[in-house]
Amino acid sequence: MRARPLSAPARALLAATTATPSRRRVLRGALAGGALAAAGGVMAACSPSGMAPQAGASTRPACKATDVSASERKVSFGNWVQYLDVDSNDEKRHPTLAAFKARTGVDVSYTEDINDNNEYYGKIRAQLAACQSIDRDIVVFSDWMVNKFIRNGFAQELDPAKTPNYRRNLLPSLKARPYDQELRFAVPWQSGLTGFAVNTRVAKEVRTVDELLTRPDLKGKVSVPMEMPDTMGLLIASLGRNPAAFTPEDFDAALEKLRKAVESGQIRRFTGNEYVQDLAKGDVAAAIAWSGDALQLGLNDEKIKFVSPDEGLLIWSDAAVIPVTATHASNAMSLLDHYYDPKVAAELAAWVNYVCPVAGAQDEMVKIDPELAENTLIFPDDAMLAGVKAFAPLGEAEEKEYQAKFSAVMGV
């Protein structure tokens, strides 16, 4: 990557030498990018019997809050850390939110309080089940958790009349998501790719999963994600199996690889987003990593490389949902639709550096930063997408079984 001035998000990321809350990503379904329509078959492949497509039905009592958007011109938005643009001169100001308020008059209370899918869901599940407010009109989860959220009846339906940009500009490949094929509940926020990040100042590049887990010079200098699908997706692929359609035997064989790497001391630790600090310092030489994080680190240090494993990249997404207890649903839909204006989407992508789910944003990015417009970690091209894989969306019982096995190896 050609050297360039350090961006605002890179400064924020690398200044955070204290523990940063993890922005964990889980590989469910297939996602976006300027050319991802070329990989539409990936999404279609991710539909095992355990997945509940269009999971609007629930055994829970019907629950929907009264919408007071017309009289209360506000909306509360809960998101992951460093997942929204920030004014370089004022860290508390978010330019795209300011533009939304100027256009609509709606105030946005924005909080980056989602550190982990399971952790945050655990905090709000009982309240939602009891039809009690969680003080959020929008929350963002990874696809697998969005599926659970919808399955349990916790998401309000979107009004097509209030989300015209979303329906017009959502990338075609995203319309095949098995858990929301009619675009009734979930609005993709960002997506990305999972591969390797390597600090080439302390180690040569890593090309395969087996190399990552066994190479002697990497012993004690490898980190892998705490989220099961991120790590296991690549390990399953290393067996020559498809992580979008694996068997229990495939999972167990991949897990045995991981167990051996843990027991041998090859793996330094399982992490969330805090791996970026260890990688920047050189304490971690190589990691299973997320593309946006690696790109931000690479903007500041050209020795940190994002590498596509020989087994192929994994692809994931995060999506926004409106809880059934939200009292400003119309305002929430308006805000989400604001981010499907290609100009606004490009402004957001220029800051977060993840894969943009909005058609037309790449053309707008040319006006903001021509170099970023050509960056395949934000707008993947056909060559990058040719080998992408996705982790199978799981049913509830499968999810519990596999997570328990993974947690046992992880030691929690």
Side-chain angles (χ1 to χ4, degrees):
M1 181 179 297
R2 186 158 56 85
R4 49 184 282 139
L6 181 60
S7 67
R11 289 196 301 270
L13 179 65
L14 294 171
T17 53
T18 56
T20 302
S22 78
R23 184 203 301 161
R24 297 180 193 162
R25 303 288 176 238
V26 182
L27 322 174
R28 288 295 194 273
L31 242 297
L36 194 58
V42 174
M43 179 65 82
C46 302
S47 303
S49 60
M51 187 65 166
Q54 293 302 115
S58 172
T59 57
R60 300 182 183 281
C63 173
K64 184 177 179 181
T66 300
D67 190 353
V68 296
S69 291
S71 58
E72 294 185 3
R73 304 296 290 161
K74 62 182 181 179
V75 63
S76 178
F77 183 3
N79 205 351
W80 298 77
V81 297
Q82 296 185 354
Y83 227 14
L84 190 65
D85 53 305
V86 174
D87 190 319
S88 59
N89 297 315
D90 182 357
E91 293 183 357
K92 295 182 179 180
R93 182 178 181 272
H94 305 282
T96 56
L97 286 186
F100 174 75
K101 180 180 179 181
R103 181 174 63 82
T104 65
V106 175
D107 278 310
V108 182
S109 173
Y110 180 73
T111 309
E112 293 186 336
D113 57 347
I114 302 177
N115 302 325
D116 172 78
N117 287 287
N118 282 312
E119 177 187 59
Y120 193 80
Y121 181 75
K123 290 179 180 178
I124 65 176
R125 180 183 57 79
Q127 291 165 271
L128 291 171
C131 295
Q132 297 173 354
S133 173
I134 63 168
D135 297 321
R136 294 289 182 273
D137 299 301
I138 300 171
V139 291
V140 178
F141 288 118
S142 299
D143 269 354
W144 70 277
M145 183 59 79
V146 172
N147 175 51
K148 180 184 289 189
F149 202 81
I150 296 170
R151 186 174 65 216
N152 287 337
F154 292 158
Q156 289 196 37
E157 289 203 38
L158 302 168
D159 183 343
K162 295 173 182 174
T163 52
N165 286 336
Y166 166 54
R167 292 180 174 270
R168 179 170 55 248
N169 297 326
L170 177 67
L171 286 173
S173 54
L174 289 171
K175 296 177 181 179
R177 291 171 296 157
Y179 66 86
D180 193 23
Q181 294 177 11
E182 295 177 7
L183 312 184
R184 292 169 56 196
F185 298 105
V187 177
W189 179 251
Q190 296 289 295
S191 63
L193 302 161
T194 300
F196 299 152
V198 182
N199 187 331
T200 60
R201 186 172 285 104
V202 295
K204 65 180 182 180
E205 286 193 8
V206 180
R207 304 304 314 185
T208 69
V209 170
D210 285 350
E211 201 178 343
L212 183 77
L213 298 183
T214 63
R215 213 170 77 190
D217 65 304
L218 298 177
K219 187 170 183 178
K221 297 180 179 180
V222 172
S223 73
V224 298
M226 295 171 69
E227 293 280 2
M228 179 266 291
D230 291 83
T231 298
M232 294 305 297
L234 283 181
L235 265 70
I236 289 169
S238 76
L239 299 172
R241 303 291 190 266
N242 183 0
F246 61 86
T247 66
E249 292 76 18
D250 295 336
F251 186 91
D252 289 345
L255 191 66
E256 185 59 26
K257 276 191 174 187
L258 182 66
R259 187 192 314 278
K260 290 179 179 178
V262 170
E263 292 176 350
S264 71
Q266 185 79 1
I267 294 176
R268 178 184 178 89
R269 61 174 175 151
F270 291 79
T271 70
N273 198 56
E274 67 272 17
Y275 75 92
V276 296
Q277 299 152 25
D278 291 339
L279 191 64
K281 291 186 295 184
D283 293 339
V284 162
I288 292 178
W290 301 305
S291 56
D293 291 340
L295 175 55
Q296 283 297 330
L297 287 171
L299 290 174
N300 187 56
D301 184 351
E302 63 180 11
K303 292 296 184 180
I304 295 179
K305 309 288 186 182
F306 184 73
V307 179
S308 175
D310 289 353
E311 293 87 355
L313 293 163
L314 292 167
I315 195 159
W316 49 260
S317 72
D318 295 324
V321 287
I322 300 172
V324 290
T325 56
T327 54
H328 306 95
S330 292
N331 292 340
M333 291 180 216
S334 180
L335 177 59
L336 293 175
D337 204 55
H338 170 69
Y339 283 96
Y340 271 75
D341 177 328
K343 181 178 182 297
V344 177
E347 292 173 6
L348 176 61
W351 202 93
V352 301
N353 290 171
Y354 274 94
V355 177
C356 179
V358 180
Q362 187 170 18
D363 290 340
E364 293 295 332
M365 184 69 85
V366 172
K367 305 171 187 177
I368 298 172
D369 188 327
E371 186 176 347
L372 288 182
E374 296 177 1
N375 195 305
T376 55
L377 295 185
I378 301 175
F379 302 103
D381 58 21
D382 291 341
M384 176 170 281
L385 292 169
V388 297
K389 298 175 172 66
F391 193 87
L394 304 175
E396 188 171 2
E398 293 172 304
E399 181 186 318
K400 287 181 178 178
E401 177 185 356
Y402 290 136
Q403 183 62 54
K405 290 181 176 181
F406 180 74
S407 296
V409 171
M410 191 167 54
V412 298

Short mmCIF file of all heavy atoms in Angstrom, two decimals, residues 211-224 256-270 283-286 409:
data_model
loop_
_atom_site.label_atom_id
_atom_site.label_comp_id
_atom_site.label_asym_id
_atom_site.label_seq_id
_atom_site.Cartn_x
_atom_site.Cartn_y
_atom_site.Cartn_z
N GLU A 211 0.31 -22.90 8.12
CA GLU A 211 1.51 -22.12 8.39
C GLU A 211 1.30 -21.25 9.64
O GLU A 211 2.17 -21.19 10.52
CB GLU A 211 1.78 -21.22 7.17
CG GLU A 211 3.21 -20.74 7.05
CD GLU A 211 3.41 -19.90 5.81
OE1 GLU A 211 2.56 -19.95 4.89
OE2 GLU A 211 4.41 -19.17 5.76
N LEU A 212 0.16 -20.61 9.73
CA LEU A 212 -0.16 -19.76 10.88
C LEU A 212 -0.12 -20.56 12.18
O LEU A 212 0.39 -20.09 13.20
CB LEU A 212 -1.54 -19.14 10.69
CG LEU A 212 -2.01 -18.17 11.77
CD1 LEU A 212 -1.32 -16.82 11.61
CD2 LEU A 212 -3.53 -18.00 11.72
N LEU A 213 -0.63 -21.78 12.13
CA LEU A 213 -0.80 -22.57 13.35
C LEU A 213 0.40 -23.44 13.70
O LEU A 213 0.43 -24.03 14.79
CB LEU A 213 -2.05 -23.46 13.22
CG LEU A 213 -3.38 -22.73 13.07
CD1 LEU A 213 -4.53 -23.73 13.04
CD2 LEU A 213 -3.60 -21.71 14.17
N THR A 214 1.39 -23.52 12.81
CA THR A 214 2.51 -24.44 13.10
C THR A 214 3.90 -23.85 12.87
O THR A 214 4.87 -24.43 13.32
CB THR A 214 2.40 -25.72 12.24
OG1 THR A 214 2.49 -25.38 10.85
CG2 THR A 214 1.07 -26.44 12.49
N ARG A 215 4.03 -22.75 12.16
CA ARG A 215 5.36 -22.25 11.81
C ARG A 215 6.14 -21.87 13.07
O ARG A 215 5.66 -21.08 13.88
CB ARG A 215 5.25 -21.05 10.87
CG ARG A 215 6.39 -20.98 9.88
CD ARG A 215 6.15 -19.94 8.82
NE ARG A 215 6.39 -18.59 9.33
CZ ARG A 215 6.07 -17.48 8.66
NH1 ARG A 215 5.46 -17.58 7.48
NH2 ARG A 215 6.33 -16.30 9.18
N PRO A 216 7.33 -22.41 13.25
CA PRO A 216 8.07 -22.22 14.51
C PRO A 216 8.35 -20.76 14.86
O PRO A 216 8.29 -20.38 16.04
CB PRO A 216 9.38 -22.99 14.26
CG PRO A 216 9.02 -24.04 13.26
CD PRO A 216 8.01 -23.39 12.36
N ASP A 217 8.64 -19.92 13.85
CA ASP A 217 8.98 -18.53 14.17
C ASP A 217 7.79 -17.72 14.64
O ASP A 217 7.93 -16.61 15.16
CB ASP A 217 9.62 -17.84 12.96
CG ASP A 217 8.67 -17.71 11.80
OD1 ASP A 217 8.13 -18.75 11.35
OD2 ASP A 217 8.44 -16.57 11.34
N LEU A 218 6.57 -18.28 14.51
CA LEU A 218 5.36 -17.58 14.94
C LEU A 218 4.88 -18.06 16.31
O LEU A 218 3.88 -17.55 16.82
CB LEU A 218 4.24 -17.79 13.91
CG LEU A 218 4.48 -17.24 12.50
CD1 LEU A 218 3.31 -17.60 11.60
CD2 LEU A 218 4.71 -15.74 12.54
N LYS A 219 5.58 -19.01 16.91
CA LYS A 219 5.12 -19.58 18.16
C LYS A 219 4.96 -18.50 19.24
O LYS A 219 5.89 -17.74 19.52
CB LYS A 219 6.08 -20.66 18.66
CG LYS A 219 5.56 -21.41 19.90
CD LYS A 219 6.41 -22.61 20.22
CE LYS A 219 5.83 -23.39 21.40
NZ LYS A 219 6.62 -24.61 21.70
N GLY A 220 3.76 -18.44 19.82
CA GLY A 220 3.47 -17.46 20.86
C GLY A 220 3.21 -16.07 20.33
O GLY A 220 3.03 -15.12 21.10
N LYS A 221 3.13 -15.93 19.00
CA LYS A 221 2.95 -14.61 18.40
C LYS A 221 1.75 -14.57 17.45
O LYS A 221 1.69 -13.74 16.54
CB LYS A 221 4.22 -14.21 17.63
CG LYS A 221 5.45 -14.06 18.51
CD LYS A 221 6.67 -13.66 17.69
CE LYS A 221 7.89 -13.50 18.57
NZ LYS A 221 9.09 -13.10 17.76
N VAL A 222 0.80 -15.47 17.67
CA VAL A 222 -0.38 -15.56 16.81
C VAL A 222 -1.63 -15.27 17.65
O VAL A 222 -1.76 -15.75 18.77
CB VAL A 222 -0.51 -16.97 16.19
CG1 VAL A 222 -1.83 -17.14 15.46
CG2 VAL A 222 0.66 -17.24 15.26
N SER A 223 -2.53 -14.47 17.10
CA SER A 223 -3.83 -14.28 17.75
C SER A 223 -4.94 -14.67 16.79
O SER A 223 -4.79 -14.54 15.57
CB SER A 223 -4.01 -12.82 18.20
OG SER A 223 -4.24 -11.97 17.11
N VAL A 224 -6.02 -15.17 17.36
CA VAL A 224 -7.19 -15.54 16.56
C VAL A 224 -8.43 -15.00 17.26
O VAL A 224 -8.44 -14.79 18.47
CB VAL A 224 -7.30 -17.08 16.38
CG1 VAL A 224 -6.09 -17.62 15.64
CG2 VAL A 224 -7.45 -17.78 17.72
N GLU A 256 -9.78 -29.77 16.10
CA GLU A 256 -8.60 -30.48 16.58
C GLU A 256 -7.32 -29.75 16.18
O GLU A 256 -6.36 -29.70 16.95
CB GLU A 256 -8.60 -31.92 16.04
CG GLU A 256 -7.47 -32.78 16.58
CD GLU A 256 -7.47 -32.91 18.09
OE1 GLU A 256 -8.56 -32.77 18.71
OE2 GLU A 256 -6.38 -33.14 18.66
N LYS A 257 -7.31 -29.16 14.99
CA LYS A 257 -6.18 -28.33 14.58
C LYS A 257 -5.98 -27.18 15.56
O LYS A 257 -4.86 -26.85 15.95
CB LYS A 257 -6.42 -27.76 13.18
CG LYS A 257 -6.07 -28.63 12.02
CD LYS A 257 -6.12 -27.79 10.74
CE LYS A 257 -5.65 -28.58 9.54
NZ LYS A 257 -5.53 -27.72 8.33
N LEU A 258 -7.09 -26.56 15.89
CA LEU A 258 -7.02 -25.42 16.80
C LEU A 258 -6.55 -25.86 18.18
O LEU A 258 -5.72 -25.19 18.81
CB LEU A 258 -8.40 -24.76 16.90
CG LEU A 258 -8.50 -23.51 17.77
CD1 LEU A 258 -7.68 -22.38 17.17
CD2 LEU A 258 -9.96 -23.08 17.93
N ARG A 259 -7.05 -26.99 18.64
CA ARG A 259 -6.66 -27.49 19.96
C ARG A 259 -5.15 -27.72 20.03
O ARG A 259 -4.49 -27.33 21.01
CB ARG A 259 -7.39 -28.80 20.26
CG ARG A 259 -7.18 -29.32 21.69
CD ARG A 259 -7.69 -30.74 21.83
NE ARG A 259 -8.99 -30.93 21.24
CZ ARG A 259 -10.15 -30.61 21.83
NH1 ARG A 259 -10.13 -30.09 23.05
NH2 ARG A 259 -11.30 -30.83 21.21
N LYS A 260 -4.59 -28.32 19.01
CA LYS A 260 -3.15 -28.57 18.98
C LYS A 260 -2.35 -27.27 19.00
O LYS A 260 -1.31 -27.17 19.66
CB LYS A 260 -2.79 -29.40 17.75
CG LYS A 260 -3.28 -30.85 17.81
CD LYS A 260 -2.91 -31.59 16.54
CE LYS A 260 -3.38 -33.04 16.61
NZ LYS A 260 -3.07 -33.79 15.36
N ALA A 261 -2.84 -26.26 18.29
CA ALA A 261 -2.15 -24.97 18.26
C ALA A 261 -2.21 -24.28 19.62
O ALA A 261 -1.25 -23.61 20.03
CB ALA A 261 -2.75 -24.08 17.18
N VAL A 262 -3.31 -24.45 20.33
CA VAL A 262 -3.42 -23.87 21.67
C VAL A 262 -2.48 -24.60 22.63
O VAL A 262 -1.73 -23.98 23.39
CB VAL A 262 -4.88 -23.96 22.17
CG1 VAL A 262 -4.97 -23.58 23.65
CG2 VAL A 262 -5.79 -23.05 21.34
N GLU A 263 -2.52 -25.93 22.60
CA GLU A 263 -1.72 -26.72 23.53
C GLU A 263 -0.22 -26.57 23.28
O GLU A 263 0.57 -26.65 24.22
CB GLU A 263 -2.13 -28.18 23.43
CG GLU A 263 -3.54 -28.44 23.96
CD GLU A 263 -3.99 -29.88 23.78
OE1 GLU A 263 -3.28 -30.64 23.06
OE2 GLU A 263 -5.05 -30.25 24.32
N SER A 264 0.17 -26.31 22.04
CA SER A 264 1.59 -26.16 21.73
C SER A 264 2.12 -24.78 22.07
O SER A 264 3.33 -24.55 22.04
CB SER A 264 1.81 -26.42 20.23
OG SER A 264 1.28 -25.36 19.45
N GLY A 265 1.23 -23.84 22.37
CA GLY A 265 1.65 -22.48 22.66
C GLY A 265 1.79 -21.61 21.42
O GLY A 265 2.27 -20.48 21.50
N GLN A 266 1.37 -22.12 20.26
CA GLN A 266 1.46 -21.34 19.03
C GLN A 266 0.59 -20.08 19.12
O GLN A 266 0.98 -19.01 18.66
CB GLN A 266 1.01 -22.20 17.84
CG GLN A 266 1.17 -21.53 16.49
CD GLN A 266 2.60 -21.56 15.98
OE1 GLN A 266 3.49 -22.10 16.62
NE2 GLN A 266 2.83 -21.00 14.81
N ILE A 267 -0.58 -20.24 19.71
CA ILE A 267 -1.52 -19.12 19.80
C ILE A 267 -1.27 -18.33 21.07
O ILE A 267 -1.29 -18.88 22.18
CB ILE A 267 -2.98 -19.62 19.76
CG1 ILE A 267 -3.27 -20.22 18.38
CG2 ILE A 267 -3.95 -18.48 20.05
CD1 ILE A 267 -4.64 -20.84 18.24
N ARG A 268 -1.01 -17.06 20.91
CA ARG A 268 -0.75 -16.17 22.05
C ARG A 268 -2.02 -15.98 22.88
O ARG A 268 -2.00 -16.11 24.08
CB ARG A 268 -0.24 -14.82 21.54
CG ARG A 268 0.02 -13.78 22.63
CD ARG A 268 0.43 -12.46 22.00
NE ARG A 268 0.65 -11.41 22.98
CZ ARG A 268 1.82 -11.18 23.58
NH1 ARG A 268 2.86 -11.93 23.28
NH2 ARG A 268 1.94 -10.20 24.45
N ARG A 269 -3.12 -15.67 22.16
CA ARG A 269 -4.39 -15.53 22.84
C ARG A 269 -5.53 -15.40 21.84
O ARG A 269 -5.32 -15.12 20.67
CB ARG A 269 -4.40 -14.34 23.79
CG ARG A 269 -4.18 -12.98 23.15
CD ARG A 269 -4.37 -11.87 24.19
NE ARG A 269 -4.07 -10.55 23.69
CZ ARG A 269 -4.65 -9.45 24.14
NH1 ARG A 269 -5.54 -9.52 25.09
NH2 ARG A 269 -4.32 -8.26 23.64
N PHE A 270 -6.74 -15.60 22.35
CA PHE A 270 -7.96 -15.33 21.60
C PHE A 270 -8.37 -13.90 21.93
O PHE A 270 -8.37 -13.51 23.09
CB PHE A 270 -9.07 -16.30 22.01
CG PHE A 270 -8.83 -17.72 21.57
CD1 PHE A 270 -7.98 -18.55 22.29
CD2 PHE A 270 -9.47 -18.24 20.45
CE1 PHE A 270 -7.75 -19.86 21.90
CE2 PHE A 270 -9.26 -19.55 20.06
CZ PHE A 270 -8.40 -20.36 20.78
N ASP A 283 4.03 -7.47 19.19
CA ASP A 283 3.86 -8.57 20.13
C ASP A 283 3.14 -9.74 19.45
O ASP A 283 3.38 -10.90 19.78
CB ASP A 283 3.06 -8.12 21.35
CG ASP A 283 3.83 -7.12 22.19
OD1 ASP A 283 5.07 -7.07 22.07
OD2 ASP A 283 3.20 -6.37 22.97
N VAL A 284 2.25 -9.41 18.54
CA VAL A 284 1.63 -10.40 17.66
C VAL A 284 2.23 -10.21 16.28
O VAL A 284 2.28 -9.10 15.75
CB VAL A 284 0.10 -10.22 17.60
CG1 VAL A 284 -0.49 -10.93 16.39
CG2 VAL A 284 -0.54 -10.76 18.88
N ALA A 285 2.74 -11.29 15.71
CA ALA A 285 3.34 -11.22 14.37
C ALA A 285 2.31 -11.46 13.28
O ALA A 285 2.41 -10.89 12.19
CB ALA A 285 4.46 -12.25 14.26
N ALA A 286 1.33 -12.31 13.57
CA ALA A 286 0.31 -12.65 12.58
C ALA A 286 -1.00 -12.95 13.28
O ALA A 286 -1.02 -13.50 14.38
CB ALA A 286 0.76 -13.84 11.74
N VAL A 409 -12.23 -25.30 23.87
CA VAL A 409 -10.86 -25.20 23.38
C VAL A 409 -10.26 -23.85 23.72
O VAL A 409 -9.09 -23.72 24.08
CB VAL A 409 -10.81 -25.45 21.86
CG1 VAL A 409 -9.42 -25.13 21.30
CG2 VAL A 409 -11.18 -26.89 21.55
#
